């Protein structure tokens, strides 16, 4: 009987084990987890609801949702993509729902639906699971015919050196920005639905809802930008300028909107007419920032120079990032095993036969929205299929 060992009891590890065992029932499959519990990240993901994939309906280019690894995933999605993942979970008794933002969750809105499925399937298939089991050398695994590494994102290079493979240095991705601006922090809890955040002097930008917090800024817009700019921000010790377009409109559109308000609401106070539906507290803050104490002045009194200043703060409001903050309890890294070190069709190591990698241990990471889990399902399925095909060739 051939034996496969999977190092890492997370999403990719379980998905790989279950699919491999279903493809090859005679294979002995084991999962080794160094912690005392498996699937911990699945449990806390999506605020405990597990955003397990995405519909990809709004994705025009994979690079927009996978800053690293998009070319490899484009190839692998031909064999197992988001539609396959959706079908996989539903066929095994976990109905899913698609939200308006195209994120996909279990209908139960509970990550334990995914966890219970994995544990039940693993037990049914006879997959051996060992917790509190640390592996720090490939020599410890010499009894196994196939070795799969699914240890997830690692906070430092040292955690991967035992694998003796080229490594793209891990740095954090998907985090919120600390900004030391008391006036901004006073707006804590304010959500702006349609914004664009940019790193000045670069092409790095992201759009979407933005949340003002007691430490700075968060929300999908900021998380996406943190993913795109992960290495740049790390290289600058998380000390870079940040520019916000609070309207996600261009300068011409904003000038036209303000001109229309001046013409049709000339007697109304500046603070009472909010362009683009901006939250009242934010609008008051931006008025104070650009026009000082003029918020009670009528719109008709606004001159062109003042309008220009108002447009500038709406489209080009600049802050200084002073650090990063962890996004809830979720930890995503940019970096990992270099993709140049694996076969792009099977994810088998180019340096060590029958050694495979799946999940975030690879230099693949996505923005928030279920994309990282989809990368885990796709890469895990790819490895399971590759091992199954290799095993079948051996017995022919």
């Amino acid at each position: 009987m051939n034996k496969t060992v999977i190092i890492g009891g997370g999403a990719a590890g379980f998905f790989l084990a279950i699919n491999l065992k279903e493809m090859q029932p005679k294979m002995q499959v084991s999962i080794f987890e160094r912690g005392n519990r498996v699937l911990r990240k699945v449990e806390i993901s999506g605020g405990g609801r597990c955003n397990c994939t995405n519909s990809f309906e709004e994705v025009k280019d994979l690079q927009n949702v996978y800053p690293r690894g998009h070319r490899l995933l484009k190839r692998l999605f031909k064999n197992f993509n988001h539609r396959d993942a959706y079908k996989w979970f539903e066929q095994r008794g976990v109905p899913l729902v698609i939200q308006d933002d195209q994120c996909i969750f279990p209908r139960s809105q509970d990550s334990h639906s995914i966890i219970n499925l994995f544990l039940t399937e693993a037990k049914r298939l006879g997959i051996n699971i060992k917790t509190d089991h640390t592996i720090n050398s490939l020599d410890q695994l010499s009894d196994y015919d196939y070795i799969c590494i699914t240890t997830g994102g690692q906070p430092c290079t040292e955690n991967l050196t035992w694998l003796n493979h080229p490594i793209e240095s891990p740095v954090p991705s998907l985090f919120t920005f600390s900004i030391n601006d008391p006036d901004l922090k006073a707006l804590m809890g304010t959500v702006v639905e349609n914004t664009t955040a940019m790193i000045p002097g670069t092409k790095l930008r992201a759009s979407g809802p933005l949340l003002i917090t007691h430490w700075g800024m968060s929300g999908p817009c900021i998380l996406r930008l943190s993913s795109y700019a992960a290495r740049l921000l790390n290289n600058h010790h998380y000390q870079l300028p940040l520019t916000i377009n609070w309207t996600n409109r261009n300068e011409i559109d904003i000038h036209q909107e303000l001109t229309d308000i001046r013409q049709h609401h000339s007697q109304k106070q500046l603070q009472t007419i909010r362009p683009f539906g901006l939250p009242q507290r934010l609008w008051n803050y931006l008025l104070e920032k650009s026009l000082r104490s003029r918020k009670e002045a009528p719109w008709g009194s606004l001159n062109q120079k003042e309008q220009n200043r108002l447009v500038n703060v709406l489209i080009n409001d600049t802050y200084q990032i002073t650090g990063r903050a962890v996004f809830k309890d979720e930890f995503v890294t940019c970096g990992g095993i270099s993709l140049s070190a694996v076969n792009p069709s099977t994810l088998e190591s180019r340096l060590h036969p029958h050694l495979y990698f799946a999940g975030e241990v690879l230099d693949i990471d996505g923005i928030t929205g279920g994309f990282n889990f989809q990368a885990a399902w796709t890469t895990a399925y790819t490895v399971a299929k590759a091992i199954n095909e290799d095993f079948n060739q051996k017995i022919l």
Side-chain angles (χ1 to χ4, degrees):
M1 178 185 289
N2 278 34
K3 299 196 298 183
T4 294
V5 63
I6 297 165
I7 311 303
F14 269 83
F15 203 77
L16 197 167
I18 292 166
N19 279 284
L20 176 58
K21 193 68 175 176
E22 287 182 337
M23 294 174 189
Q24 196 55 252
K26 293 182 180 179
M27 181 76 70
Q28 180 180 311
V29 179
S30 300
I31 296 174
F32 292 167
E33 166 58 43
R34 70 179 178 182
N36 58 13
R37 288 170 53 204
V38 294
L39 299 166
R40 295 181 74 170
K41 190 170 178 181
V42 175
E43 184 175 34
I44 63 174
S45 69
R49 297 187 298 138
C50 190
N51 180 188
C52 57
T53 186
N54 192 283
S55 76
F56 284 74
E57 285 295 320
E58 297 177 355
V59 179
K60 295 181 176 64
D61 183 343
L62 283 184
Q63 188 172 4
N64 293 336
V65 293
Y66 292 107
R68 288 149 291 270
H70 58 279
R71 291 187 183 88
L72 176 62
L73 287 175
K74 185 176 182 179
R75 172 197 289 255
L76 300 183
F77 277 2
K78 293 175 183 176
N79 289 318
F80 194 91
N81 61 21
H82 54 286
R83 297 184 191 90
D84 299 309
Y86 193 103
K87 188 185 303 181
W88 194 95
F89 285 106
E90 290 225 321
Q91 287 178 342
R92 288 162 178 77
V94 179
L96 304 176
V97 294
I98 305 175
Q99 295 188 162
D100 291 342
D101 60 3
Q102 306 307 313
C103 294
I104 296 177
F105 290 84
R107 185 183 297 166
S108 65
Q109 299 293 303
D110 187 348
S111 61
H112 289 94
S113 295
I114 304 290
I115 293 170
N116 293 340
L117 166 64
F118 284 166
L119 294 176
T120 300
E121 289 291 275
K123 184 176 181 180
R124 177 181 69 83
L125 294 166
I127 296 167
N128 179 41
I129 301 171
K130 282 188 178 181
T131 55
D132 295 309
H133 197 84
T134 300
I135 300 295
N136 48 35
S137 170
L138 291 175
D139 293 338
Q140 294 174 255
L141 306 170
S142 57
D143 291 341
Y144 292 90
D145 302 284
Y146 300 97
I147 301 168
C148 308
I149 308 299
T150 61
T151 49
Q154 300 298 316
C156 56
T157 303
E158 289 71 22
N159 291 0
L160 298 171
T161 51
W162 66 277
L163 293 165
N164 297 316
H165 275 66
I167 298 166
E168 300 296 334
S169 180
V171 301
S173 181
L174 289 188
F175 48 85
T176 62
F177 296 162
S178 297
I179 296 171
N180 291 331
D181 185 327
D183 293 332
L184 177 72
K185 292 178 183 180
L187 304 178
M188 176 183 66
T190 299
V191 176
V192 190
E193 291 295 339
N194 198 8
T195 68
T196 298
M198 301 159 277
I199 304 293
T202 76
K203 295 181 179 180
L204 298 169
R205 62 179 57 216
S207 298
L210 185 151
L211 169 66
I212 300 173
T213 69
H214 66 274
W215 64 86
M217 294 184 187
S218 183
C221 175
I222 296 300
L223 294 170
R224 288 170 190 159
L225 184 60
S226 77
S227 181
Y228 299 152
R231 289 210 176 277
L232 178 68
L233 284 160
N234 180 263
N235 291 341
H236 287 82
H237 309 290
Y238 306 98
Q239 309 280 323
L240 280 174
L242 170 71
T243 297
I244 305 296
N245 179 336
W246 293 106
T247 68
N248 201 21
R249 305 291 185 93
N250 62 45
E251 186 173 351
I252 294 173
D253 287 348
I254 296 174
H255 266 297
Q256 186 61 56
E257 174 77 4
L258 299 189
T259 300
D260 288 347
I261 295 174
R262 287 169 64 189
Q263 289 176 351
H264 296 102
H265 302 280
S266 60
Q267 300 306 311
K268 296 282 188 179
Q269 291 182 357
L270 288 169
Q271 64 183 346
T272 61
I273 305 292
R274 295 173 287 127
F276 308 105
L278 291 172
Q280 186 67 61
R281 286 199 299 161
L282 175 65
W283 177 234
N284 288 347
Y285 164 79
L286 296 175
L287 283 173
E288 184 67 29
K289 193 170 187 179
S290 58
L291 303 179
R292 301 301 177 188
S293 302
R294 292 262 290 140
K295 63 184 180 182
E296 294 182 359
W299 272 95
S301 69
L302 197 67
N303 61 43
Q304 193 58 47
K305 191 173 182 180
E306 290 171 326
Q307 179 168 313
N308 291 342
R309 291 210 303 270
L310 190 50
V311 168
N312 187 61
V313 81
L314 285 168
I315 202 171
N316 194 36
D317 196 15
T318 301
Y319 300 87
Q320 180 66 32
I321 300 170
T322 56
R324 67 177 180 87
V326 175
F327 174 48
K328 299 181 180 177
D329 295 315
E330 300 181 39
F331 187 80
V332 175
T333 57
C334 149
I337 298 298
S338 174
L339 300 185
S340 65
V342 300
N343 181 314
S345 297
T346 64
L347 303 184
E348 182 179 15
S349 166
R350 295 186 188 274
L351 308 178
H352 193 301
H354 296 163
L355 172 66
Y356 297 82
F357 300 93
E360 205 187 324
V361 70
L362 289 162
D363 184 25
I364 298 173
D365 65 286
I367 65 173
T368 184
F371 299 106
N372 284 297
F373 273 132
Q374 183 56 52
W377 313 142
T378 295
T379 55
Y381 183 87
T382 298
V383 172
K385 184 170 178 284
I387 292 174
N388 177 56
E389 290 176 354
D390 186 82
F391 179 77
N392 286 338
Q393 287 177 0
K394 282 183 177 179
I395 62 178
L396 287 178

